[in-house]
Amino acid sequence: MATSIAARLTRQRVLNADRNDVLGLVLSAALPLAVFVIANGIAEMNGALPLFFSPFGLPGWVGGALHIGSLPLFGIARWMVAREGRQGRVAGWWLVALMAGTIAFPFVVTPLDSLMLSIVAMLLLLVGLGAAARTGEVSPRAAWIMLPGLAWMGFSAFIGLSFVASWSPPFGIANGSQSS
């Protein structure tokens, strides 16, 4: 009995993503990717495919790689702040919300029109900026680690919103009159 309890406690400690060592860092970076792979598998079994932003004629996998590549950065930032007391735990939960939104985003926006897609992208960007602000209060270095993922998220939200704005009134009227 004591052996099974010791083995269970050892297993729990090994899989703890908040460890203060390299394994905790690796687990924190890999866990969001693993959740994305599971979400992708579930979505694919249900016939849903993710939608990724890929500008300038780049192949779709480039946009997917950049989107998914932000997940380990957010996980590492969460690992850096999670051990820093109450304020760090609050920032960590903001980062968990950002990771959950980033994982769900390509599946949620697939059936949406371009306006709703842009609104959801901007909302996710706002969550990311809120997470970055709270993370930066605890660890400025963790906020810098988040920056590439937030930059891609912001770029895609800005481009999407500008496309929607260029085809919406009052500009949509001028564009629509050219087609008749």
Side-chain angles (χ1 to χ4, degrees):
M1 170 113 164
T3 306
S4 66
I5 292 172
R8 190 173 12 161
L9 290 175
T10 303
R11 206 173 333 131
Q12 288 175 349
R13 287 189 195 121
V14 167
L15 298 177
N16 184 4
D18 292 336
R19 299 167 54 122
N20 289 332
D21 58 4
V22 175
L23 183 58
L25 175 68
V26 170
L27 286 172
S28 293
L31 188 60
L33 291 174
V35 172
F36 181 83
V37 167
I38 292 168
N40 190 35
I42 291 170
E44 191 169 328
M45 285 190 306
N46 292 315
L49 293 175
L51 177 66
F52 293 108
F53 170 73
S54 194
F56 310 122
L58 294 171
W61 65 266
V62 173
L66 289 169
H67 182 87
I68 295 167
S70 64
L71 289 171
L73 300 176
F74 299 154
I76 290 169
R78 195 211 57 82
W79 177 78
M80 292 174 76
V81 299
R83 302 177 315 272
E84 301 295 330
R86 185 187 182 302
Q87 195 175 14
R89 285 190 301 275
V90 169
W93 281 110
W94 272 85
L95 285 162
V96 167
L98 175 62
M99 287 184 281
T102 303
I103 290 168
F105 180 81
F107 305 104
V108 170
V109 300
T110 301
L112 301 179
D113 66 348
S114 57
L115 176 62
M116 287 308 297
L117 188 147
S118 296
I119 290 171
V120 172
M122 290 302 285
L123 289 174
L124 184 60
L125 179 61
L126 289 174
V127 170
L129 293 174
R134 280 161 181 74
T135 300
E137 291 173 358
V138 177
S139 171
R141 194 163 58 168
W144 278 106
I145 288 175
M146 293 174 60
L147 187 63
L150 287 176
W152 177 251
M153 195 179 294
F155 177 69
S156 65
F158 172 75
I159 294 293
L161 194 60
S162 60
F163 282 150
V164 168
S166 67
W167 293 101
S168 301
F171 306 111
I173 296 169
N175 290 336
S177 65
Q178 298 294 328
S179 63
S180 41

